Amino acid sequence: MKDKIDKLSKLKEEAKLGGGEERIKSQHEKGKLTARERIELLVDEGSFDEVDMFVKHRAKDFGLDKQHFPGDGVVTGFAKIDGRPIALFSQDFTVFGGSLSETHAEKIVKVMKMAMKTGIPLIGLNDSGGARIQEGVVSLGGYADIFLLNTLASGVIPQISVVLGPCAGGAVYSPAITDFIFMVKNTSYMFVTGPNVVKTVTHEDVSFEELGGAETHASKSGVAHFVCENEIETLLNVRKLLSFIPLNYRDKSPEKEFDISKLTYEPKLDDIIPDSANKPYDMKEVINLLSDEQDFFEVHQFYAENIICGFCRLGGMSVGVIANQPQVLAGVLDINASTKAARFVRFCDAFNIPILVLVDVPGFLPGTEQEWNGIIRHGAKLLFAFSEATVPKITVITRKAYGGAYDVMNSKHIRGDFNFAWPFAEIAVMGPKGAVEIIFKKEISKAANPEKEIEKKLSEYIEKFANPYITAERGYVDDVIIPRETKQKLINAFNLLRTKVDTNPKKKHGNIPL
Ligand code: HXC
């Protein structure tokens, strides 16, 4: 009996070596950790239960019948993060470059199915040379099996992709379907076709990093939601993200202890809005002052910075924040801001995360570039996302809410549950200058002193519209509040909304403008 136990231990030790010491050394030399080292850093100590450690590929061509590595290039199993269960796979670059074979795909599919059955998040650590070239179409089929499950699992369980090495070709579409993508500077890259193909087809000279590195995807394409300096920081941030989100669509996010009796007013909020309506301020300061422990976990920090998305806690409750950033492009809504925020709203709504919207928006960005690239279609995504969301939704208009952007940014009309305005709020069809030039065009042109006439009409317009009280008279905002009292108001409102029930009409699915 002891022999058999010893044999098992030996087999497991062998399997843990993946592609062997030499390849592990080479992985380390590239500044990368191994598949198992990553798991150790990611999950609670001693919590990992591996499955399918002895799976081997079935390929025979190109000498593969003589090359077998137990586990076949991917480590899969179940573990805990902060005591909560997760499913994971971690591709092992030391085995055939982490390439995806039929059996490698089957292992991933197995944990995905279990994650869906049990309602636990799936975390994929990607480090792979793509389809196992020697296996041909069987490998492509394996990818498609994963894509299908990614799609079916969308909205059922959170899916997080961590790209820690190459992720190229069609392989990129599994992470792309998942909810969040993490990348690491300098060692991870994603592209549909690499620099060599790009050179042949478009004659562009571009490096791996420039074409599909972490910073490119975090700031230019928006493919990556998080970019980190190294693997350790990346894996710790995955843990942090999980702390804000539930295990599945029926679950609620974990709450933190919060002593409401210790909550005090925040006078700094009264002084944040500048005297001039055209002066910027940092909306992140507002968010930090509202967040418990000033802890705001930003998503897509470097992409479409004119809108801010991320998670914080309010009174211990996890909340998704969407806020215009007056410091970047005056907080205007453009194509990238609209799609970024729309996807975030839909994630929160799918996973019962209440939404806080902070509004300071001068409108949609004008121009041919925006119109020709479809600001109508893309702006509609954000409108659609807010309109269909049934989670608790609260809006605070801190300053400007002009034009269509007023409607879009979770107005009362699209089922905002509580809509507040600060006393500096300006809510109107358009900003004073544009409005005056249109509606008083004749008076201005006939005036002896047009400049003076514009000034006069401007002050009339500002007096009439650039305040929150007409909106409040209509009940389109529920209250005009003193900024320093905002956090208390929000906590009370979110607590009231704990029992909120709202539904959408029965349908197969909506048709969001894509
Ligand atoms: C089989 C592969 C492999 C692959 C790498 N290896 N990619 N084996 N299939 N796709 C093996 C290598 O033979 C080598 O084996 C080991 O992994 C490490 O590879 P190296 O090339 O030595 O590593 P490195 O120099 O770091 O380069 C990494 C790499 C390169 C850039 C990923 O290996 C590469 O270009 N691989 C091919 C990538 C590719 O074209 N894949 C197909 C993409 S199309 P040994 O035994 O020496 O350790 C695709 C379609 C998916 O994936 C479609 C889904 C719908």
Side-chain angles (χ1 to χ4, degrees):
M1 283 305 180
K2 183 165 180 309
D3 288 359
K4 291 195 173 168
I5 292 174
D6 288 346
K7 184 181 171 196
L8 173 64
S9 305
K10 191 165 161 277
L11 287 174
K12 289 200 166 182
E13 282 316 307
E14 273 169 26
K16 283 182 184 165
L17 279 179
E21 306 276 11
E22 267 309 299
R23 291 190 182 94
I24 290 176
K25 195 166 152 250
S26 152
Q27 176 84 346
H28 286 156
E29 279 164 5
K30 286 178 192 151
K32 300 196 312 185
L33 298 169
T34 65
R36 288 174 192 281
E37 287 165 347
R38 289 166 178 162
I39 295 171
E40 253 175 60
L41 281 165
L42 175 68
V43 306
D44 295 351
E45 202 180 337
S47 71
F48 181 51
D49 288 320
E50 186 169 348
V51 293
D52 285 344
M53 196 181 208
F54 302 117
V55 163
K56 289 184 179 172
H57 69 74
R58 304 181 191 112
K60 299 210 170 4
D61 297 331
F62 304 104
L64 279 193
D65 51 341
K66 296 187 189 65
Q67 287 186 71
H68 279 284
F69 300 92
D72 201 26
V74 63
V75 183
T76 57
F78 306 91
K80 295 224 163 92
I81 289 183
D82 290 332
R84 301 159 76 221
I86 55 115
L88 66 82
F89 68 86
S90 179
Q91 291 180 313
D92 183 351
F93 192 83
T94 69
V95 175
F96 301 117
S99 59
L100 189 127
S101 66
E102 178 187 24
T103 45
H104 179 129
E106 282 170 3
K107 285 182 66 172
I108 294 176
V109 162
K110 192 194 252 187
V111 286
M112 289 178 87
K113 284 187 172 165
M114 183 59 83
M116 285 173 75
K117 264 197 285 196
T118 53
I120 60 175
L122 175 82
I123 302 172
L125 308 183
N126 297 263
D127 186 2
S128 165
R132 177 94 39 97
I133 295 166
Q134 299 91 326
E135 292 203 12
V137 70
V138 173
S139 164
L140 301 183
Y143 269 119
D145 293 340
I146 295 169
F147 300 158
L148 174 67
L149 277 172
N150 283 136
T151 308
L152 297 181
S154 180
V156 179
I157 51 169
Q159 299 180 82
I160 298 168
S161 297
V162 191
V163 180
L164 300 162
C167 182
V172 296
Y173 289 111
S174 171
I177 298 172
T178 63
D179 298 300
F180 295 105
I181 297 182
F182 287 78
M183 290 185 79
V184 194
K185 284 186 192 167
N186 303 317
T187 49
S188 66
Y189 52 87
M190 296 177 78
F191 39 67
V192 173
T193 52
N196 293 341
V197 177
V198 169
K199 172 92 180 148
T200 312
V201 178
T202 69
H203 310 293
E204 290 167 287
D205 264 318
V206 64
S207 68
F208 276 67
E209 191 61 24
E210 225 185 316
L211 181 65
E215 286 177 276
T216 294
H217 285 310
S219 61
K220 284 197 168 89
S221 71
V223 166
H225 301 83
F226 301 95
V227 53
C228 304
E229 293 297 324
N230 55 53
E231 294 196 12
I232 298 172
E233 188 192 307
T234 309
L235 296 166
L236 292 178
N237 274 319
V238 174
R239 290 180 64 97
K240 176 139 192 184
L241 171 62
L242 274 175
S243 73
F244 288 103
I245 66 180
L247 298 179
N248 58 62
Y249 79 102
R250 295 179 303 268
D251 191 28
K252 290 256 159 68
S253 300
E255 283 203 31
K256 280 203 175 163
E257 295 265 313
F258 185 83
D259 187 352
I260 191 91
S261 66
K262 297 217 172 94
L263 186 61
T264 52
Y265 290 145
E266 181 49 83
K268 280 190 203 148
L269 286 171
D270 289 353
D271 299 323
I272 259 178
I273 306 291
D275 292 335
S276 159
N278 295 325
K279 264 202 191 154
Y281 60 94
D282 187 2
M283 187 65 98
K284 282 189 200 168
E285 229 183 286
V286 177
I287 300 172
N288 283 331
L289 290 170
L290 292 174
S291 305
D292 295 356
E293 296 165 19
Q294 301 220 359
D295 186 16
F296 177 57
F297 188 60
E298 194 171 352
V299 176
H300 262 150
Q301 188 180 352
F302 304 106
Y303 180 73
E305 293 176 55
N306 40 328
I307 203 154
I308 304 164
C309 297
F311 299 101
C312 73
R313 283 199 159 72
L314 271 174
M317 189 189 290
S318 175
V319 167
V321 181
I322 297 101
N324 308 112
Q325 171 58 294
Q327 223 169 42
V328 180
L329 291 171
V332 78
L333 284 179
D334 59 3
I335 290 172
N336 291 349
S338 302
T339 54
K340 163 179 165 177
R343 187 147 169 81
F344 186 71
V345 169
R346 296 194 100 216
F347 176 82
C348 292
D349 188 48
F351 291 105
N352 306 314
I353 300 170
I355 290 171
L356 169 65
V357 184
L358 302 175
V359 182
D360 188 343
V361 63
F364 281 95
L365 183 62
T368 50
E369 196 261 340
Q370 288 288 308
E371 294 291 350
W372 294 347
N373 285 303
I375 183 67
I376 298 175
R377 190 160 49 87
H378 297 292
K381 289 177 181 155
L382 185 55
L383 176 58
F384 193 111
F386 273 130
S387 298
E388 74 170 347
T390 54
V391 285
K393 301 189 290 188
I394 300 181
T395 299
V396 180
I397 302 173
T398 59
R399 190 168 62 174
K400 294 173 200 165
Y402 283 128
Y406 155 76
D407 282 341
V408 169
M409 291 300 291
N410 195 41
S411 62
K412 198 81 189 158
H413 321 276
I414 57 172
R415 297 194 286 183
D417 294 300
F418 284 100
N419 291 55
F420 300 115
W422 283 1
F424 334 106
E426 303 171 13
I427 306 161
V429 173
M430 60 170 68
K433 194 156 183 299
V436 161
E437 281 170 4
I438 293 171
I439 57 180
F440 300 116
K441 194 171 162 187
K442 280 195 191 123
E443 286 96 320
I444 293 166
S445 66
K446 281 185 201 149
N449 185 341
E451 289 302 314
K452 217 169 167 191
E453 188 64 15
I454 290 177
E455 282 305 312
K456 190 173 143 241
K457 294 296 183 199
L458 264 180
S459 52
E460 269 175 40
Y461 186 90
I462 289 168
E463 174 73 21
K464 177 87 183 144
F465 287 119
N467 66 67
Y469 298 106
I470 295 174
T471 316
E473 273 172 32
R474 293 261 171 191
Y476 296 165
V477 293
D478 299 288
D479 199 4
V480 181
I481 60 174
I482 304 171
R484 85 180 84 121
E485 296 175 3
T486 305
K487 182 154 180 164
Q488 283 86 340
K489 289 276 178 197
L490 292 176
I491 292 176
N492 290 347
F494 276 124
N495 274 328
L496 187 78
L497 291 166
R498 277 176 192 273
T499 48
K500 173 188 172 183
V501 178
D502 202 353
T503 53
N504 292 326
K506 194 166 166 13
K507 61 182 103 172
K508 187 171 177 195
H509 60 70
N511 190 13
I512 189 164
L514 295 174

